[in-house]
Amino acid sequence: MGFLGFLLLGLIAGAIAKAILPGRQGGGWLLTLVLGVVGAILGGWIGSLVFGGGLGEFFDLRTWLLSILGAVIVLLIFGAVTRRSRV
């Protein structure tokens, strides 16, 4: 997968993760992109540990599921850190 494909994957995975999690996460499309890309990297790492294979091609279902799972995890961590810092 190319660099632009990975950025698009991260943006879409981050947007889906924000839609899955309830509440208001804040941040614009740039924060969604960063969280999604970090989540895709995390999801690929988790996939390589658990399944023996990380992210595949752009249109592979496993790639999307791992990226969304990673983005949800990163968004949960980001929400916990920013919620704690506002108090």
Side-chain angles (χ1 to χ4, degrees):
M1 177 176 359
F3 180 72
L4 291 177
F6 195 71
L7 288 179
L8 181 63
L9 173 72
L11 180 63
I12 295 172
I16 292 172
K18 279 189 170 186
I20 290 173
L21 291 176
R24 183 164 183 228
Q25 288 86 20
W29 68 270
L30 188 60
L31 182 64
T32 303
L33 173 70
V34 170
L35 292 176
V37 168
V38 171
I41 293 169
L42 177 67
W45 181 70
I46 291 171
S48 67
L49 289 177
V50 174
F51 303 118
L55 300 178
E57 294 296 318
F58 185 79
F59 292 108
D60 189 10
L61 181 62
R62 179 183 66 191
T63 298
W64 285 95
L65 293 177
L66 287 173
S67 297
I68 293 169
L69 173 69
V72 167
I73 292 170
V74 169
L75 193 58
L76 286 171
I77 293 169
F78 178 76
V81 168
T82 58
R83 192 173 319 120
R84 191 173 303 145
S85 67
R86 281 189 241 154
V87 173

